[in-house]
Amino acid sequence: ITVSKASAIDIEKYLRIPSEKIHVTSLGMAPPPPLSETTGQCLERLQIQTPYFLYVGALHPRKNIKRVIEAFVTLRQQNESLHLVIVGPPSWGADDILREVLQSTQDGGIKFTGFVSDEELDALYREAIALVFPSLYEGFGLPPLEAMARGTPVITSNVSSLPEVVGDAALLVDPTSTAAIHTAMERVLKDHQLRQDLSMRGLERALHFSWENTAKHTLALYHQLL
């Protein structure tokens, strides 16, 4: 059992497992947590300034954060009120990412939060202009799904499993092109109608993914095998 068609293709190719023995069961997502405080209060406690683009995930090269930073820095030269919030724990290669920030900007436009609670993450998703998630490779990719479930526009990669997750509810970009990431961020920032459209399509798309469906499909496969 694997979580996406993209992963199934890789399993067949690299592990040489016959395709008929590989079954795709998508991941699900828990409902957003109840809020004990307003989103504004959460952001104030985290010292987050709006408006901001959001990245969620571990800090390592596969996540392509350096290109997100490069695209953001160029965009911020046109709008100094913009911010980029990067949420997630450091992993291998994080020092290079931090070095990129220091070289790119000196004026506090980029905020690293590290680990945040579920409630804080929920607030960060809800208030973001968009989630920017141009990962170079994902077996599934939960952050875009989490963002869509909260009506947050999503910019993500056109490779690996990510198109499967977002369908037509996100802007898909070439993750190896900083210019493509920048253009997508600029479009979402300037086009209110596009943001509304992505928000509505994302909410609808997210309804297709739940842990209940994951469990049902897994159980059906067990019955089939037995």
Side-chain angles (χ1 to χ4, degrees):
I1 300 176
T2 190
V3 295
S4 66
K5 293 177 183 177
S7 292
I9 291 170
D10 287 344
I11 290 168
E12 181 181 8
K13 178 179 179 180
Y14 294 108
L15 301 183
R16 299 180 181 179
I17 293 175
S19 60
E20 63 270 17
K21 292 189 176 183
I22 305 170
H23 299 268
V24 175
T25 300
S26 295
L27 297 182
M29 188 198 60
L35 294 176
S36 62
E37 58 183 345
T38 66
T39 56
Q41 288 171 323
C42 274
L43 297 189
E44 184 177 357
R45 188 175 66 255
L46 293 170
Q47 299 181 320
I48 302 298
Q49 298 182 55
T50 57
Y52 62 88
F53 285 95
L54 179 67
Y55 163 83
V56 175
L59 309 185
H60 58 71
R62 177 172 60 84
K63 299 294 187 176
N64 206 24
I65 304 169
K66 290 179 73 172
R67 287 194 181 94
V68 174
I69 293 168
E70 291 168 359
F72 167 76
V73 168
T74 304
L75 190 60
R76 196 170 195 264
Q77 291 171 355
Q78 306 160 16
N79 188 335
E80 294 183 355
S81 68
L82 280 178
H83 295 82
L84 173 64
V85 177
I86 297 176
V87 177
S91 185
W92 64 274
D95 290 343
D96 290 339
I97 295 167
L98 294 172
R99 219 173 358 255
E100 177 79 15
V101 174
L102 291 174
Q103 292 171 354
S104 300
T105 180
Q106 302 292 331
D107 59 5
I110 301 175
K111 170 79 171 181
F112 288 86
T113 67
F115 177 83
V116 297
S117 69
D118 288 346
E119 186 175 357
E120 289 167 340
L121 181 59
D122 182 65
L124 287 165
Y125 275 129
R126 292 182 186 278
E127 294 298 319
I129 301 167
L131 175 75
V132 187
F133 194 78
S135 180
L136 298 171
Y137 182 89
E138 292 291 328
F140 184 81
L142 278 172
L145 180 57
E146 292 173 344
M148 290 191 300
R150 290 157 175 84
T152 304
V154 172
I155 299 167
T156 192
S157 302
N158 61 4
V159 299
S160 68
S161 65
L162 290 162
E164 291 179 55
V165 176
V166 301
D168 66 350
L171 290 184
L172 297 177
V173 299
D174 175 0
T176 65
S177 169
T178 301
I181 299 168
H182 170 271
T183 298
M185 293 171 72
E186 187 174 41
R187 284 185 62 197
V188 173
L189 176 66
K190 294 182 176 180
D191 191 335
H192 176 71
Q193 184 58 48
L194 175 62
R195 290 199 303 274
Q196 283 193 321
D197 185 44
L198 290 172
S199 176
M200 292 179 62
R201 282 190 281 166
L203 286 166
E204 183 177 348
R205 178 71 178 173
L207 294 175
H208 296 282
F209 297 88
S210 70
W211 289 121
E212 182 178 4
N213 285 340
T214 302
K216 285 179 178 177
H217 292 154
T218 304
L219 181 61
L221 177 58
Y222 288 172
H223 283 304
Q224 177 186 331
L225 292 172
L226 291 171

